[in-house]
Amino acid sequence: MNRLWHTLAAILLATTLAACGADSPPGGDDAAVELRWYCCLGTGEQAEQVKAQQKVIERFNASQRRIKVKLEVVTYDSARDTLATQIASGNVPDLAGPVGVGGAAAFHGQWLDLAPLIKSSGFDLSPYAKGSADLYRIGSVQEGVPFAIYPSTLYYKADMFEEAGLAEPPHKYGEKYTWPDGRQSEWNYDTLRELALKLTVDKNGKDATQEGFDPGQIVQYGFEPARDDLRYQGAAFAAGSLDTGDGKTVKIPDAWADSWRFFYDGMWKDRFIMTGPVFQTEQFNGDGAAFFSGHVAMSVNFLWSTYGVAGAGDDWDLAAMPSYKGRTTSPTSADTFRILAGSKHPAEAFEFLSHLVGPASQELLSAYGAMPARTADQDAFFAKLAGQFPNKVDWQVAKDSVAFADNPHSESYTPKYNQTLTILGTYRSRWMTQGGLDMNAQLKAMREEIQDVWNRS
């Protein structure tokens, strides 16, 4: 009886194992490396984006049996705190993204240097836009490889230039601006200021250069900078950093100081930039970007602002970024996927990351509405983007702008990163709402305030 029981038990066990093995990969699912993809320190949380990301994972998991990926979606508002908690507790995801330079800087020192993996795997960087790989190099660490880029350009309304009898700003970098009398000027911020004054108009049709102009009744502004981050605003003049390089000493770059004076004087003295209270009005806010209101002639902003630019009308176009002291900079937002330094499976994580920025990139870039860093994919991207607008737009300007990306990046890490951003935000709000300030004194006080924070242990 015992022999019969053991025989039956052996047959049952063999049948059970065979049934389980029929649906399992060689070695079983337990042998597969499990990776966690953390989202969303940047974009990626919208329902359609999550759906696209899940499809990418499903196809990747089905294509091989060595790696299994799981998506973790945490809303943007909670993503930083949640990831910080996971890192502190040792529950580290394998990779995160898409995330920009600023989002990554909040976790400085927590990202794996990909340079050895790029070299050992033979990852080819040549198909990407010139200079784009440098956007993801923070100090000596290659935190990412090119994926999504959003260069800055000058948006402008052609009808406002035509109405004022002015030629449109140049589209090609290096070209000069031609005035109605034939005079030519370097396309720089002095020329932009001169244009902006002529393109700022009150309710009686007087521009800001004419006698009788009423600054309290402006219906059209000449220029709008990107005002949401003072670092980005500074980088529109020239790349720089608040860190002198020793990780201890604060210095406000001269170009940033000039940019911030330009911003402040443009609001309170020259009046071709709207003040904070005006910016907040329904007439000029334009869904968070003043250019979208249709009442601004020129505006510097990232390529991703095409999401709402249709509000400006069907006469807008893109022009080259102005230069500053003979050099041109296009602050460039750059998103990619990064591997956490605490990942237990860095080689497998890099294999999946290579899939995201490679075979899966077009599907993901479409979901994110992002310009491909891979130059061969850009024409298709812009052809699709062009279909969203009735007007003809010179998208070549955006492509050309990548070569002028800010390096060091304006959002790169500095000591006491979050506290520094808070201080910059305080000064930004003050400048937008208070006229009559001594900007030299403001800049001195800002530097001292940030330095005081950096000095604290």
Side-chain angles (χ1 to χ4, degrees):
M1 188 71 173
N2 285 339
R3 182 179 296 173
L4 177 61
W5 169 253
H6 286 302
T7 300
L8 292 172
I11 293 172
L12 178 62
L13 177 60
T15 303
T16 302
L17 289 173
C20 292
D23 296 322
S24 300
D29 277 331
D30 290 340
V33 169
E34 295 186 355
L35 299 179
R36 293 163 52 206
W37 171 7
Y38 186 89
C39 182
C40 309
L41 290 170
T43 191
E45 69 177 272
Q46 300 301 318
E48 288 303 312
Q49 294 174 332
V50 173
K51 184 178 179 180
Q53 291 165 160
Q54 289 285 13
K55 283 184 177 180
V56 166
I57 288 175
E58 289 169 9
R59 282 194 288 269
F60 179 82
N61 287 346
S63 70
Q64 45 73 52
R65 298 189 171 187
R66 296 175 298 100
I67 304 171
K68 298 301 173 189
V69 181
K70 179 181 179 182
L71 179 67
E72 293 184 13
V73 177
V74 179
T75 60
Y76 177 80
D77 290 342
S78 305
R80 289 194 184 188
D81 290 342
T82 301
L83 181 57
T85 299
Q86 291 188 3
I87 292 173
S89 65
N91 182 30
V92 183
D94 295 283
L95 73 162
V99 56
V101 176
F107 296 92
H108 181 70
Q110 300 293 338
W111 306 109
L112 185 70
D113 185 358
L114 301 186
L117 289 167
I118 291 172
K119 183 177 181 180
S120 63
S121 68
F123 188 93
D124 187 7
L125 290 170
S126 63
Y128 296 96
K130 182 181 178 181
S132 59
D134 294 337
L135 295 170
Y136 310 97
R137 185 178 297 113
I138 309 302
S140 62
V141 178
Q142 187 71 43
E143 292 187 354
V145 294
F147 175 62
I149 50 178
Y150 308 85
S152 294
T153 61
L154 184 82
Y155 291 73
Y156 72 94
K157 283 178 64 65
D159 67 333
M160 292 184 178
F161 280 79
E162 183 178 4
E163 184 179 0
L166 297 167
E168 296 175 21
H171 290 204
K172 293 185 180 299
Y173 285 96
E175 285 188 348
K176 292 187 176 183
Y177 181 77
T178 303
W179 294 94
D181 60 3
R183 173 173 58 99
Q184 289 195 321
S185 301
E186 181 181 349
W187 180 233
N188 56 25
Y189 280 96
D190 291 334
T191 303
L192 182 143
R193 174 184 175 276
E194 193 173 347
L195 279 173
L197 288 167
K198 293 179 179 295
L199 290 164
T200 300
V201 182
D202 68 16
K203 69 174 184 179
N204 298 314
K206 298 269 188 185
D207 70 50
T209 68
Q210 294 177 316
E211 188 175 348
F213 169 75
D214 186 351
Q217 299 291 334
I218 297 174
V219 295
Q220 174 183 302
Y221 283 86
F223 179 65
E224 173 64 16
R227 62 174 71 214
D228 54 343
D229 189 324
L230 287 180
R231 298 171 302 168
Y232 170 47
Q233 201 176 89
F237 273 43
S241 173
L242 295 171
D243 188 346
T244 58
D246 63 4
K248 299 177 182 178
T249 310
V250 179
K251 180 183 178 181
I252 296 175
D254 291 342
W256 290 19
D258 285 348
S259 172
W260 296 341
R261 292 188 188 97
F262 182 89
F263 174 51
Y264 189 78
D265 287 346
M267 286 186 293
W268 300 103
K269 179 182 177 183
D270 295 329
R271 302 290 184 171
F272 61 80
I273 300 174
M274 60 188 69
T275 64
V278 173
F279 175 80
Q280 295 296 335
T281 62
E282 184 176 348
Q283 178 183 1
F284 291 104
N285 184 256
D287 194 25
F291 188 76
F292 299 169
S293 71
H295 302 301
V296 177
M298 298 180 287
S299 177
V300 165
N301 218 324
F302 294 118
L303 181 63
W304 51 249
S305 63
T306 51
Y307 79 89
V309 74
D314 59 6
D315 61 315
W316 63 273
D317 206 344
L318 302 179
M321 289 287 290
S323 64
Y324 166 80
K325 292 189 175 180
R327 297 187 63 182
T328 304
T329 307
S330 168
T332 300
S333 180
D335 289 353
T336 194
F337 304 93
R338 288 169 165 81
I339 297 175
L340 275 298
S343 169
K344 295 180 176 62
H345 310 289
E348 291 82 1
F350 186 75
E351 182 175 342
F352 179 59
L353 182 151
S354 299
H355 178 77
L356 294 178
V357 302
S361 63
Q362 291 195 45
E363 182 175 1
L364 291 173
L365 288 164
S366 179
Y368 302 146
M371 175 181 170
R374 186 183 288 107
T375 53
D377 296 338
Q378 290 176 359
D379 285 343
F381 165 78
F382 282 112
K384 184 176 180 180
L385 186 61
Q388 300 177 21
F389 306 104
N391 49 310
K392 185 177 180 180
V393 179
D394 188 354
W395 300 111
Q396 186 62 41
V397 177
K399 295 181 188 179
D400 294 343
S401 297
V402 177
F404 301 93
D406 50 327
N407 188 13
H409 197 276
S410 63
E411 297 178 9
S412 293
Y413 175 77
T414 65
K416 301 298 177 65
Y417 188 78
N418 292 327
Q419 297 97 313
T420 299
L421 292 191
T422 298
I423 293 171
L424 291 174
T426 298
Y427 277 85
R428 166 186 164 274
S429 297
R430 181 183 303 154
W431 297 344
M432 286 171 56
T433 55
Q434 296 182 31
L437 297 175
D438 181 339
M439 282 299 288
N440 289 333
Q442 287 287 303
L443 296 173
K444 181 175 182 293
M446 173 197 281
R447 192 204 68 78
E448 291 174 350
E449 196 170 337
I450 296 173
Q451 185 67 67
D452 182 58
V453 169
W454 287 16
N455 290 342
R456 299 173 193 168
S457 58

